[in-house]
Amino acid sequence: MRFLMLLFYLPFILFTFSMFAEAYHHPHKLPQNYDYKIVVEDKANVLGNTAELRNSLVAFYNRTGISPAVITVENSDWQGVYSDLENYAYDLYVNHFADESHWLIVYSTPDGYSSSDGFEDWYWEGMQGNDTDDVLTKSVTNSFNDELQKNLTARTRYTVSSAISTSFDDLTPTVMKSKVNWTMLFTSIAILAFVCLHACLMIGINPKARKYAKAKPCSDAAQEKACEYCGYTYVVDTCTECPHCGAPIPPEDQPGARFT
């Protein structure tokens, strides 16, 4: 019966161990089994000299095995045809790459934009392949998105090219580090402790019962007396000295004395 009850708790225990595995994440570099050539296409003519940008993309690829790509377009390329830039970026990805190992950054700017025109109605979107999920987790991409948005907005400090380059440079050194989800880890520990405790109570595993498993119950006629030295109570005919202070007990109260 106890074995059958343990089988009932087995799925819960396996679930907590799967949570332990998910709480610790170690990214793995993607294999070079695809066309990993770095792609930079400046259709909107806003990047200028792309040497620094390419170096940043190459460094990111060398660290992760993910090939990043940057394509700039004009707003008219997608507005009025697509509902948003995300759908257009998806089409750009599938038309440019036959694999799921690229990370595409699409930047869109008004047609014929010049920095002297003042306000720029710009957009950007990221599109990653499914094989990049082990490295580009939700937390990683959210952090990168926030950084890139901040850099693209700071036009007095960065050009479009340097904003993207700097964002990759900030991400590359840490992107492959192992990470621990502490919330999930502590949650899994709490669940496992509860399941084990509940199982012990239901199955009848009692630490006290194991401690006294070999103990022999006193007979109904057993008598208790107080130690002459410390006052601690002992059971007549069970010991030769006080269990508390170690003082000898009267001979008549020692085992076998009443039967001589």
Side-chain angles (χ1 to χ4, degrees):
M1 189 63 183
R2 287 185 174 183
F3 177 73
L4 293 177
M5 294 184 71
L6 283 174
L7 290 180
F8 170 79
Y9 288 100
L10 185 60
F12 298 97
I13 296 175
L14 293 177
F15 171 74
T16 56
F17 278 109
S18 68
M19 290 184 64
F20 276 118
E22 292 181 15
Y24 176 79
H25 178 67
H26 178 70
H28 295 86
K29 185 176 180 179
L30 267 68
Q32 298 177 336
N33 56 0
Y34 67 100
D35 184 5
Y36 49 84
K37 182 178 67 175
I38 302 295
V39 174
V40 177
E41 292 184 9
D42 190 16
K43 297 180 179 179
N45 195 28
V46 295
L47 295 180
N49 188 345
T50 61
E52 179 183 1
L53 174 60
R54 288 182 178 275
N55 289 337
S56 299
L57 300 184
V58 170
F60 180 82
Y61 165 76
N62 290 335
R63 177 62 66 90
T64 64
I66 298 173
S67 181
V70 176
I71 298 178
T72 68
V73 297
E74 295 183 333
N75 292 346
S76 61
D77 293 334
W78 58 275
Q79 288 181 343
V81 180
Y82 293 84
S83 59
D84 52 33
L85 183 59
E86 180 180 357
N87 290 327
Y88 178 68
Y90 174 82
D91 276 0
L92 279 181
Y93 188 106
V94 297
N95 288 327
H96 278 74
F97 312 114
D99 54 75
E100 295 287 341
S101 301
H102 279 78
W103 188 14
L104 172 63
I105 305 298
V106 180
Y107 179 85
S108 180
T109 188
D111 298 24
Y113 172 76
S114 172
S115 59
S116 60
D117 295 341
F119 174 75
E120 179 186 359
D121 186 23
W122 55 269
Y123 306 84
W124 76 272
E125 186 68 46
M127 189 63 56
Q128 66 183 89
N130 292 335
D131 293 342
T132 68
D133 289 348
D134 183 61
V135 176
L136 299 179
T137 61
K138 185 176 181 180
S139 61
V140 169
T141 53
N142 284 344
S143 177
F144 176 85
N145 292 346
D146 292 341
E147 183 71 14
L148 180 54
Q149 179 69 24
K150 181 182 70 175
N151 293 342
L152 286 172
T153 304
R155 289 304 170 85
T156 57
R157 296 179 55 193
Y158 301 106
T159 63
V160 174
S161 180
S162 64
I164 300 174
S165 175
T166 301
S167 300
F168 273 99
D169 290 341
D170 291 343
L171 176 63
T172 299
T174 61
V175 67
M176 297 300 289
K177 289 185 177 180
S178 299
K179 301 174 182 64
V180 177
N181 187 330
W182 294 105
T183 301
M184 182 176 291
L185 179 62
F186 288 127
T187 301
S188 58
I189 292 175
I191 293 175
L192 181 61
F194 174 79
V195 170
C196 291
L197 177 61
H198 194 275
C200 289
L201 294 176
M202 294 300 294
I203 295 173
I205 299 176
N206 188 333
K208 282 190 175 181
R210 291 182 60 87
K211 180 179 179 181
Y212 298 106
K214 296 182 179 180
K216 296 180 179 179
C218 294
S219 66
D220 294 337
Q223 299 178 3
E224 290 185 342
K225 285 190 177 181
C227 176
E228 298 176 352
Y229 299 92
C230 68
Y232 186 85
T233 300
Y234 63 89
V235 178
V236 174
D237 199 30
T238 62
C239 55
T240 59
E241 59 184 26
C242 175
H244 183 255
C245 67
I249 63 175
E252 63 271 17
D253 293 338
Q254 295 183 13
R258 291 182 297 168
F259 300 99
T260 59

